[in-house]
């Protein structure tokens, strides 16, 4: 009895065909991985977060967009480059948080999407001060 290794049909079954990963998939993976890091308050600029919270309240608006807010990517067949805009909590070391974000994002994207991450650029756009209201705590003027 001979073992069928797939060579007769053009190689191993796992190597037949092509897998394409959409940019939005990598954006979501990177966004979730960045949010998991202690010291990251939010992703995106203040304006983008404000617009996003208004958009999420509207019926029928894309709720998945918040996962990619503050994230942009370039994805090729084998590699990916990621840009993140983050808001950090006051009192944390920005360089330490940025390093942990890079490690977490690279690990998640390479493991889940199978793309080599060539760079993760991080822009810290704001610091969340302890006495600032959270976006969810802001009261609406008209109800």
């Amino acid at each position: 009895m001979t073992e069928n290794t797939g060579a007769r049909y053009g190689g191993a079954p796992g190597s037949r065909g092509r897998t394409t990963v959409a940019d939005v998939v990598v954006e979501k993976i990177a966004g979730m991985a960045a949010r998991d890091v202690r010291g990251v308050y939010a992703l995106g600029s203040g304006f983008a977060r404000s617009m996003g919270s208004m958009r999420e309240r509207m019926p029928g608006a894309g709720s998945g967009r918040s996962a990619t807010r503050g994230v942009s990517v370039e994805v090729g067949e084998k590699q990916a480059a990621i840009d993140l805009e983050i808001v950090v909590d006051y009192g944390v070391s920005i360089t330490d948080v940025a390093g942990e974000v890079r490690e977490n994002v690279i690990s998640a994207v390479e493991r889940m999407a199978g793309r080599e991450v060539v760079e993760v650029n991080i822009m810290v756009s704001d610091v969340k001060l302890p006495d600032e209201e959270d976006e969810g705590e802001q009261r609406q003027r008209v109800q």
Side-chain angles (χ1 to χ4, degrees):
M1 184 170 165
T2 60
E3 184 176 327
N4 183 1
T5 61
R8 187 171 119 178
Y9 298 103
S15 66
R16 293 185 208 162
R18 209 170 84 166
T19 303
T20 303
V21 178
D23 290 5
V24 70
V25 173
V26 176
E27 285 176 350
K28 287 181 179 182
I29 293 169
M32 294 302 294
R35 283 179 180 81
D36 284 345
V37 174
R38 183 180 201 93
V40 174
Y41 173 74
L43 268 66
S45 66
F47 179 74
R49 290 192 323 273
S50 297
M51 293 304 292
S53 65
M54 287 189 330
R55 188 180 315 115
E56 288 168 0
R57 291 185 197 129
M58 295 186 330
S63 62
R65 185 67 191 147
S66 64
T68 61
R69 185 180 310 130
V71 183
S72 63
V73 301
E74 292 180 34
V75 181
E77 286 188 31
K78 297 179 182 180
Q79 296 179 324
I82 301 165
D83 295 325
L84 299 169
E85 185 174 354
I86 67 173
V87 177
V88 298
D89 290 319
Y90 176 80
V92 300
S93 166
I94 293 173
T95 54
D96 290 349
V97 169
E100 289 179 42
V101 166
R102 276 191 187 89
E103 288 178 24
N104 214 29
V105 167
I106 289 169
S107 174
V109 170
E110 289 184 348
R111 180 177 49 84
M112 294 176 69
R115 300 299 184 265
E116 175 193 7
V117 178
V118 294
E119 66 181 6
V120 176
N121 300 311
I122 298 172
M123 183 179 90
V124 179
S125 62
D126 202 356
V127 173
K128 167 65 170 81
L129 300 175
D131 59 345
E132 289 180 332
E133 284 186 356
D134 288 335
E135 290 173 4
E137 294 176 1
Q138 291 177 351
R139 297 181 184 204
Q140 296 177 339
R141 285 182 67 179
V142 180
Q143 293 188 10

